[in-house]
Amino acid sequence: MIRYELEDGIRVEYRTPFGRVSNRFQTSSELRNKGVIALEVEHLIKSVEDYPPVEYILQHTCIKPCYDSYLSYEQELGEEGIPFVYIGQDPMNRILQELIGYNQAYFHLSDHPDRVEHLYQVLCEHYQQLQQVVLDSPAKLVMHGQHFDSTMTPLRIFHKYMTPYYQPFADKMHARGKWLACH
């Protein structure tokens, strides 16, 4: 990974045996000074050629637990509440929002369904690590995923990709006395 500081943001390039991919985030010094995060304006997947490098990156990314940080925060909260842990998007929402971007994702689903489906399977396998870390963690309340409304995620997409992903994970969470929240 190579990070380039630009006048109006950041460009991140990943080099893999299957090619290069990059994304770009736009910001300004004024926004940075106020602590506002950069807006992703260019996603990793722009064409069908970008799928293999992105899949390689996902397959070679390790998820490492940070239970000590959680326990420290839980202790700091004391009886005031329960720490709410956010673990990011589910696999399909990550594809739609982060890897391709909503502006192009539904075109990819229509034009390259096999590529999207393969990427989804790669992400599901990768997220098995994430789920196991969460299940083994001391966290009791976990939020996973967002934008579950019909304007962002049509019902047919939700039923095809989200329900089969979330239901088994929710069952495992509940079996351990944990709660899974979605937004």
Side-chain angles (χ1 to χ4, degrees):
M1 178 179 89
I2 302 170
R3 180 183 165 116
Y4 299 95
E5 295 290 332
L6 308 171
E7 189 175 306
D8 66 342
I10 302 159
R11 183 171 159 267
V12 181
E13 180 180 82
Y14 299 87
R15 296 176 183 179
T16 78
F18 298 95
R20 296 179 185 191
V21 290
S22 65
N23 55 356
R24 191 169 63 83
F25 300 86
Q26 191 169 353
T27 190
S28 68
S29 59
E30 182 180 346
L31 290 174
R32 278 192 297 272
N33 291 338
K34 292 180 179 181
V36 176
I37 61 171
L39 173 67
E40 188 169 12
V41 294
E42 181 183 303
H43 299 276
L44 285 175
I45 297 176
K46 295 175 255 325
S47 71
V48 73
E49 289 79 21
D50 295 331
Y51 282 84
V54 169
E55 290 170 358
Y56 178 87
I57 292 165
L58 294 167
Q59 291 167 329
H60 292 85
T61 299
C62 293
I63 296 171
K64 295 186 179 183
C66 54
Y67 301 150
D68 290 341
S69 297
Y70 174 87
L71 291 170
S72 175
Y73 183 56
E74 183 179 54
Q75 185 176 6
E76 183 183 324
L77 273 178
E79 297 298 315
E80 298 293 319
I82 299 173
F84 190 70
V85 176
Y86 179 61
I87 60 169
Q89 300 284 15
D90 62 272
M92 183 49 74
N93 264 328
R94 187 164 178 200
I95 291 168
L96 296 174
Q97 183 180 4
E98 179 187 329
L99 297 176
I100 301 174
Y102 283 117
N103 289 340
Q104 294 298 314
Y106 289 102
F107 291 113
H108 280 246
L109 274 168
S110 178
D111 297 341
H112 313 293
D114 293 344
R115 290 301 332 178
V116 175
E117 189 68 34
H118 188 264
L119 176 60
Y120 174 75
Q121 293 304 322
V122 167
L123 271 166
C124 284
E125 289 172 21
H126 177 65
Y127 276 48
Q128 291 302 310
Q129 292 176 55
L130 175 66
Q131 288 183 10
Q132 195 59 54
V133 167
V134 170
L135 290 166
D136 293 341
S137 79
K140 295 170 188 71
L141 179 57
V142 175
M143 185 170 117
H144 189 25
Q146 61 190 24
H147 297 307
F148 296 125
D149 65 64
S150 61
T151 59
M152 303 301 277
T153 309
L155 194 55
R156 68 177 178 78
I157 298 294
F158 187 87
H159 285 310
K160 183 174 181 179
Y161 296 103
M162 282 74 166
T163 301
Y165 172 80
Y166 278 112
Q167 192 61 61
F169 184 40
D171 292 343
K172 291 175 190 174
M173 292 283 287
H174 296 159
R176 295 200 185 191
K178 298 172 183 259
W179 299 294
L180 178 63
C182 299
H183 173 272

